[in-house]
């Protein structure tokens, strides 16, 4: 493990705890859940077995350059956690690269190993909201977003259930300039709603601005928890969809007003917006005609005036 970029990060971290729990509870699924190892070697000796398959006899200079946490977790389970029986059921896939640089050229060897480690560890992060994309509630909300038109029947709100789907759909549709303009007319970027956007607007109206202020992913987890059994058995119809988009319109309009007041509110405008929306909900006992907001695609002037009045004290 000398050429691995990290030492063991303990068994209490989220990822390593997950590896440990899989070893203990579902060792037969380890192969399916784990990304495996990226290994390098100076030399590999291979022989042909009786059935004609190739067998590795000897590996010289073996290094685990990606998968050190997996290796260390298995070692810990075997040596310290008394889970040797479970470890025997574990299978781990590996990619072994033999680096055939001259023995004396250690710099070139190190550079290749470093590059393998760098690129094997490079990937787009999978966030909490990505993992929830296929939950029935999000699927139902997405279907409604593709069928419900705005009151002027000119455009729709695009719910991005899977991260990046808006850009992908636009790229696929925009085979000509005319089709690109048609896509942008039907689903303008200003009417794009991501899962974290929706969670922020939802939790602000339910008077949880301190949760919104924790950031996108932590707030999203709380949002999913608040949906409770609706996550898997959604009870959302067209009217509820319009009300929910009304919350998004409210939050964005409040943010727009705050941006106009940047001389008075120089910082923390995202937090101020969350607390203002929550305070509006509190003062109005949660009663605001979101269907009217949907019809107008904007919030009433009186509400904007209140936002301007309360912005300073809330800040």
């Amino acid at each position: 493990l000398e050429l691995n970029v990290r030492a063991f990060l303990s068994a209490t971290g989220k990822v390593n705890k997950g590896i440990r729990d899989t070893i203990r509870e579902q060792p037969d699924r380890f192969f399916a859940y784990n990304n495996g190892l990226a290994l390098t070697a100076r030399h590999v000796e291979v022989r042909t077995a009786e059935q004609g398959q190739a067998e590795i006899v000897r590996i010289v200079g073996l290094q685990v350059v990606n998968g050190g946490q997996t290796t260390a977790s298995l070692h810990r389970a075997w040596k310290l956690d008394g889970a040797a029986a479970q470890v025997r059921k574990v299978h781990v896939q590996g990619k072994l690269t033999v680096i055939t640089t001259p023995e004396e050229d250690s710099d070139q060897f190190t550079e290749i190993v470093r590059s393998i480690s760098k690129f094997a560890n490079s990937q787009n992060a999978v966030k909490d909201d990505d993992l929830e994309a296929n939950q029935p509630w999000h699927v139902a909300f997405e279907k409604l977003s593709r069928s419900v038109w705005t009151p002027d029947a000119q455009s729709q709100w695009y719910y991005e259930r899977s991260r990046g789907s808006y850009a992908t759909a636009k790229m696929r549709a925009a085979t000509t300039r005319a089709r690109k303009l048609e896509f942008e007319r039907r689903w303008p970027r200003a009417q794009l709603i991501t899962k974290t956007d929706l969670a922020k607007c939802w939790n602000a109206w339910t008077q949880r601005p301190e949760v919104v202020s924790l950031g996108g992913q932590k707030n999203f987890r709380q949002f999913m928890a608040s949906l409770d059994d609706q996550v898997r058995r959604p009870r959302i119809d067209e009217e509820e969809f319009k009300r929910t988009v009304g919350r998004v319109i409210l939050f964005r309009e409040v943010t727009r007003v705050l941006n106009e007041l940047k001389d008075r509110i120089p910082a923390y405008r995202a937090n101020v917006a969350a607390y203002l929306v929550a305070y509006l909900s509190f003062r109005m006992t949660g009663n605001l005609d979101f269907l009217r907001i949907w019809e107008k695609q904007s919030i009433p002037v009186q509400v904007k005036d209140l936002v301007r009045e309360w912005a300073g004290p809330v800040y």
Side-chain angles (χ1 to χ4, degrees):
L1 289 167
E2 293 93 342
L3 299 181
N4 197 273
V5 295
R6 291 176 296 192
F8 185 51
L9 301 178
S10 85
T12 56
K14 180 180 177 181
V15 174
N16 286 356
K17 185 175 182 293
I19 294 174
R20 183 196 65 188
D21 291 346
T22 302
I23 294 169
R24 287 178 175 175
E25 299 163 16
Q26 297 176 307
D28 56 318
R29 296 191 183 181
F30 196 92
F31 183 88
Y33 294 167
N34 191 269
N35 285 334
L37 312 178
L39 309 114
T40 62
R42 280 286 193 180
H43 178 66
V44 174
E45 292 180 14
V46 181
R47 71 180 177 194
T48 303
E50 292 179 1
Q51 285 77 30
Q53 75 271 29
E55 287 183 342
I56 293 176
V57 177
R58 184 166 176 259
I59 301 176
V60 179
L62 181 69
Q63 288 285 334
V64 179
V65 295
N66 181 246
Q69 303 307 307
T70 295
T71 305
S73 295
L74 287 164
H75 179 266
R76 179 188 173 91
W78 181 282
K79 291 286 187 180
L80 300 180
D81 296 344
Q86 288 92 325
V87 172
R88 287 190 180 95
K89 298 176 184 178
V90 169
H91 288 80
V92 187
Q93 67 268 40
K95 179 185 71 174
L96 176 59
T97 303
V98 181
I99 301 175
T100 57
T101 58
E103 288 282 346
E104 62 275 11
D105 194 349
S106 59
D107 289 344
Q108 186 181 359
F109 177 84
T110 302
E111 174 60 26
I112 293 172
V113 171
R114 190 191 72 81
S115 295
I116 292 172
S117 179
K118 175 184 176 181
F119 298 125
N121 280 289
S122 299
Q123 59 181 344
N124 293 317
V126 178
K127 300 179 180 179
D128 288 342
D129 64 307
D130 294 327
L131 299 173
E132 300 289 350
N134 293 321
Q135 291 284 12
W137 192 92
H138 296 292
V139 173
F141 198 82
E142 180 190 49
K143 286 181 179 177
L144 285 164
S145 79
R146 303 298 190 271
S147 62
V148 178
W149 290 78
T150 52
D152 62 5
Q154 296 298 306
S155 64
Q156 293 177 298
W157 285 78
Y158 189 103
Y159 183 57
E160 192 176 62
R161 180 174 63 85
S162 301
R163 186 156 54 113
S165 63
Y166 179 84
T168 302
K170 183 177 179 180
M171 181 176 63
R172 291 177 63 187
T175 53
T176 65
R177 177 170 173 76
R179 292 192 65 183
K180 179 182 178 182
L181 292 173
E182 170 61 22
F183 182 92
E184 292 173 344
R185 183 195 64 76
R186 182 172 177 178
W187 291 296
R189 178 164 283 278
Q191 290 173 202
L192 168 66
I193 307 172
T194 66
K195 294 192 295 297
T196 50
D197 279 343
L198 183 62
K200 174 175 65 178
C201 303
W202 183 288
N203 280 346
W205 183 252
T206 53
Q207 300 176 27
R208 306 184 74 188
E210 78 291 352
V211 174
V212 175
S213 297
L214 292 174
Q217 297 304 311
K218 290 182 179 179
N219 177 65
F220 181 81
R221 286 198 292 271
Q222 297 279 0
F223 163 67
M224 291 300 292
S226 71
L227 288 177
D228 197 20
D229 66 325
Q230 269 219 70
V231 173
R232 290 169 183 81
R233 291 184 294 276
R235 300 182 297 276
I236 183 166
D237 54 17
E238 184 173 320
E239 191 172 284
E240 183 62 23
F241 171 80
K242 291 177 180 178
R243 287 198 183 96
T244 303
V245 174
R247 295 190 190 190
V248 176
I249 294 170
L250 170 65
F251 196 101
R252 291 183 178 180
E253 292 273 286
V254 168
T255 301
R256 195 170 291 120
V257 171
L258 288 174
N259 288 336
E260 294 169 359
L261 303 174
K262 58 184 177 183
D263 292 339
R264 288 168 49 196
I265 316 294
Y268 302 107
R269 285 193 290 275
N271 307 86
V272 174
Y275 276 86
L276 274 169
V277 170
Y279 189 54
L280 272 168
S281 174
F282 171 72
R283 288 292 295 270
M284 303 183 78
T285 62
N287 293 318
L288 186 64
D289 192 347
F290 283 114
L291 287 178
R292 181 170 174 79
I293 289 176
W294 167 266
E295 289 298 323
K296 298 292 185 182
Q297 293 288 293
S298 181
I299 61 176
V301 174
Q302 298 92 324
V303 175
K304 292 182 182 179
D305 291 340
L306 279 175
V307 169
R308 292 188 182 93
E309 180 184 334
W310 293 345
V314 168
Y315 172 64

